[in-house]
Amino acid sequence: MRILSKAIAATTIFASVLFVTSISSPEVKAETSEIELSDSVLDALTTEDFVQAYQIVNGKLDVEKTSDDILDQETIKALNQIYINKNRPLLKSSTGLPVSYDRLNSKEKGYAKSSPYQAGIVYNCSTAATSLAGKYWVNGTADFHNGNAYRHAVWNGIMTREMDATKAKKWADAHEYGQKGVGPQMDLQNNATGRARYAALKANDGIWWRSPTYQEISNDIMKQVTSGKLVRIVNGKLVKTNSSGKK
């Protein structure tokens, strides 16, 4: 009888362990499962929000020692919190970025959803390029002007610095997705020049471990613009850039 009681007790304990394990597993899974950026949140975000999330993550983590997956997860958390704090479905237009960058097209949304931290890098670079364009050009953020050509080239140059030329091209091409005509042709050409100029600066630097600074990239692109190496639109046609509009 005593043996039977022990057997029953052991069976009861084993069953309890199985029961506890079975009810605990979903909680562990939920805790470790990845979160995603929902379409409804993504549709309401502006590029300025990605910049803010990027800055939050950079202030929180040592990004050089953190995996891309964790960076993306932390960026999604930051973006979701930004969305909640705004507490409205549509967000106000950015004050730091050109109007055309305020809303993401379908290609950009796809990239932002799969690589949100990378999107933060892209739009942080866009903010920097826009700031430099406004500093040095009268019409730095207006389409078709020399300043616009400068801005696109600088944007791609510093994106290449922060990521690499392949990723920079992917995002720059995505921004022109679905557009036709001479306008996107101009932007794509100036974007390519910006990436190429960064590669040239890096190759000629002489110090293999150092990356050209934003100011060095800006100075080089300025020379390209004023010497006619980039393009702008005049009377519906692509023409060489010049120094017109430079402050």
Side-chain angles (χ1 to χ4, degrees), residues 40-41 44-45 78-89:
S40 59
V41 171
L45 295 173
L79 288 168
N80 283 333
Q81 190 59 54
I82 289 169
Y83 174 81
I84 291 171
N85 291 345
K86 299 261 185 176
N87 196 28
R88 50 183 173 170

Side-chain angles (χ1 to χ4, degrees), residues 5 19 42 56 86 88 124 130 143 154 165 177 187-188 200 210 216-217 227 244 247:
S5 298
F19 177 72
L42 185 58
I56 290 171
K86 299 261 185 176
R88 50 183 173 170
N124 193 61
T130 299
D143 286 339
V154 169
Y177 176 73
D187 290 342
L188 289 170
R210 195 185 80 89
E216 289 170 333
I217 295 169
S227 62
S244 176
K247 291 182 179 178

Side-chain angles (χ1 to χ4, degrees), residues 92-140:
K92 195 173 181 180
S93 174
S94 162
T95 56
L97 299 172
V99 174
S100 60
Y101 283 80
D102 284 340
R103 309 304 302 179
L104 307 183
N105 62 41
S106 60
K107 182 74 72 173
E108 291 172 306
K109 285 180 181 179
Y111 290 154
K113 190 168 186 177
S114 62
S115 303
Y117 182 76
Q118 204 172 98
I121 296 175
V122 170
Y123 299 123
N124 193 61
C125 290
S126 176
T127 301
T130 299
S131 177
L132 287 166
K135 179 180 180 180
Y136 295 120
W137 296 92
V138 175
N139 294 305

Side-chain angles (χ1 to χ4, degrees), residues 22-37:
S22 66
I23 63 173
S24 299
S25 296
E27 295 179 5
V28 173
K29 184 177 180 181
E31 186 69 22
T32 58
S33 62
E34 293 187 351
I35 57 175
E36 294 184 352
L37 195 60

